[in-house]
């Protein structure tokens, strides 16, 4: 059993653990928030997709056969999984119209990746598509950059809105936002090198797993700090009543 197989197995187990954390914590939520729950299941689906990808890598050995073959398989699978996770993050931040726009753009980019792969496959007569691989990688990088730009733009808008509209603790949201941006930036910088080089994969892989865990825990912590508007109003009314009782007792 070689080190590549062990790394793929570790990634497979790790993604399943993250998916399990996302799924189980749904049962312990005090309040349900529709937008947050949609984001949860989208991110969970992306994690499961990545786990399936690593399982197929172990069974079929694409990366073990050659770096180029592994890179092609990675791009074809990483792109929809990354978009699903990014859309889950974006779902918390953006309006319905913006989410629709982002999904359309990401779908078009993925269609272009598949088209480039098909052209390279037909020209080469096999999976060794040559320079067409780099065209796929450029499209993948463009997709990652677009998702990061859209998410960061909406995060800035939403943070300003929350600062104006609520007097609650912003720290859980800030931690979640920072974790999301860090995980996405790390993916943008590391993925091209990890996809093309198995040697660099041994260094980047463990770091990617840690960033994924950091993001998952931050996302779950954000969910635990969601409180419905009605609950906030009831809490404010109770505090006002308590203050009024104290003033009455002091006056008496």
């Amino acid at each position: 059993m070689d080190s590549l197989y062990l790394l793929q197995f570790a990634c497979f187990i790790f993604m399943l653990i993250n998916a399990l954390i996302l799924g189980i914590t749904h049962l312990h939520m005090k309040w349900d928030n529709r937008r947050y729950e949609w984001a949860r299941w989208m991110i969970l689906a992306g994690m499961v997709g990545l786990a399936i990808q690593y399982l197929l890598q172990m069974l079929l050995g694409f990366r073990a056969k050659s770096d180029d073959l592994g890179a092609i398989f990675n791009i074809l699978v990483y792109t929809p999984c990354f978009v699903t996770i990014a859309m889950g993050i974006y779902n918390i931040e953006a309006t319905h119209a913006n989410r629709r726009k982002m999904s359309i753009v990401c779908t078009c980019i993925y269609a272009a990746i598949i088209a480039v792969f098909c052209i390279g496959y037909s020209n080469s007569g096999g999976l060794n598509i040559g320079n067409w691989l780099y065209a796929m990688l450029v499209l993948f990088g463009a997709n990652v950059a677009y998702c990061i730009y859209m998410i960061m733009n909406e995060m800035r808008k939403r943070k300003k809105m929350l600062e104006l509209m609520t007097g609650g603790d912003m720290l859980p949201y800030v931690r979640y936002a920072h974790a999301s941006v860090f995980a996405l930036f790390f993916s943008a910088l590391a993925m091209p090198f990890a996809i093309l080089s198995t040697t660099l994969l041994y260094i980047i892989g463990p770091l990617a797993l840690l960033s994924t865990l950091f993001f998952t825990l931050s996302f779950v912590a954000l969910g635990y700090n969601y409180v419905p508007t009605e609950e906030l109003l009831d809490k404010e009314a109770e505090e006002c009543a308590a203050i009024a009782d104290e003033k009455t007792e002091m006056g008496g």
Side-chain angles (χ1 to χ4, degrees):
M1 186 177 296
D2 59 7
S3 55
L4 177 60
Y5 186 89
L6 290 175
L7 178 61
Q8 291 171 344
F9 180 74
C11 293
F12 168 69
I13 296 298
F14 204 86
M15 290 302 169
L16 286 183
I17 291 173
N18 280 273
L20 189 63
I21 291 173
L22 291 169
I24 290 178
T25 51
H26 168 72
L27 303 176
H28 300 279
M29 294 293 294
K30 184 177 181 180
W31 306 107
D32 285 334
N33 182 286
R34 184 177 180 183
R35 176 176 288 197
Y36 177 84
E37 291 304 320
W38 266 106
R40 176 198 299 277
W41 299 121
M42 292 178 72
I43 296 171
L44 188 149
M47 298 290 184
V48 172
L50 290 174
I52 294 174
Q53 187 267 152
Y54 292 121
L55 179 62
L56 293 176
Q57 287 276 19
M58 289 189 293
L59 296 176
L60 303 177
F62 292 117
R63 173 68 63 173
K65 293 177 181 178
S66 71
D67 286 350
D68 289 349
L69 187 59
I72 292 171
F73 185 76
N74 286 153
I75 294 173
L76 291 176
V77 178
Y78 279 165
T79 304
C81 293
F82 180 86
V83 169
T84 303
I85 294 173
M87 287 299 299
I89 298 172
Y90 196 68
N91 188 70
I92 294 179
E93 313 293 340
T95 61
H96 176 73
N98 289 335
R99 295 197 301 269
R100 180 181 176 85
K101 175 185 175 182
M102 182 174 172
S103 62
I104 291 174
V105 172
C106 291
T107 300
C108 292
I109 294 176
Y110 188 55
I113 291 175
I114 295 177
V116 169
F117 170 72
C118 293
I119 293 172
Y121 182 84
S122 62
N123 289 340
S124 62
L127 293 176
N128 295 320
I129 61 176
N131 292 331
W132 291 102
L133 171 61
Y134 298 102
M136 293 175 63
L137 188 62
V138 169
L139 289 171
F140 174 77
N143 187 40
V144 173
Y146 173 76
C147 291
I148 292 174
Y149 168 77
M150 294 295 289
I151 289 172
M152 290 187 64
N153 190 35
E154 290 297 330
M155 278 184 173
R156 284 194 295 266
K157 294 179 182 178
R158 189 165 185 83
K159 184 179 179 181
K160 291 180 180 178
M161 181 186 69
L162 291 175
E163 288 174 347
L164 293 173
M165 295 181 62
T166 179
D169 184 14
M170 286 284 294
L171 188 58
Y173 175 78
V174 171
R175 286 174 176 170
Y176 157 76
H178 288 172
S180 301
V181 172
F182 173 77
L184 290 171
F185 264 120
F186 184 84
S187 300
L189 295 175
M191 281 298 178
F193 301 101
I195 286 174
L196 293 176
S197 174
T198 302
T199 303
L200 291 176
L201 186 61
Y202 294 121
I203 302 173
I204 296 173
L207 297 176
L209 296 182
L210 291 176
S211 67
T212 303
L213 179 61
F214 176 47
F215 163 72
T216 301
L217 296 179
S218 300
F219 179 83
V220 171
L222 176 66
Y224 283 138
N225 285 276
Y226 262 128
V227 180
T229 305
E230 294 80 5
E231 178 68 12
L232 289 174
L233 293 176
D234 292 342
K235 185 178 179 180
E236 184 178 356
E238 291 175 0
E239 291 176 351
C240 292
I243 293 173
D245 291 340
E246 291 179 0
K247 290 181 178 179
T248 302
E249 292 176 359
M250 292 174 64

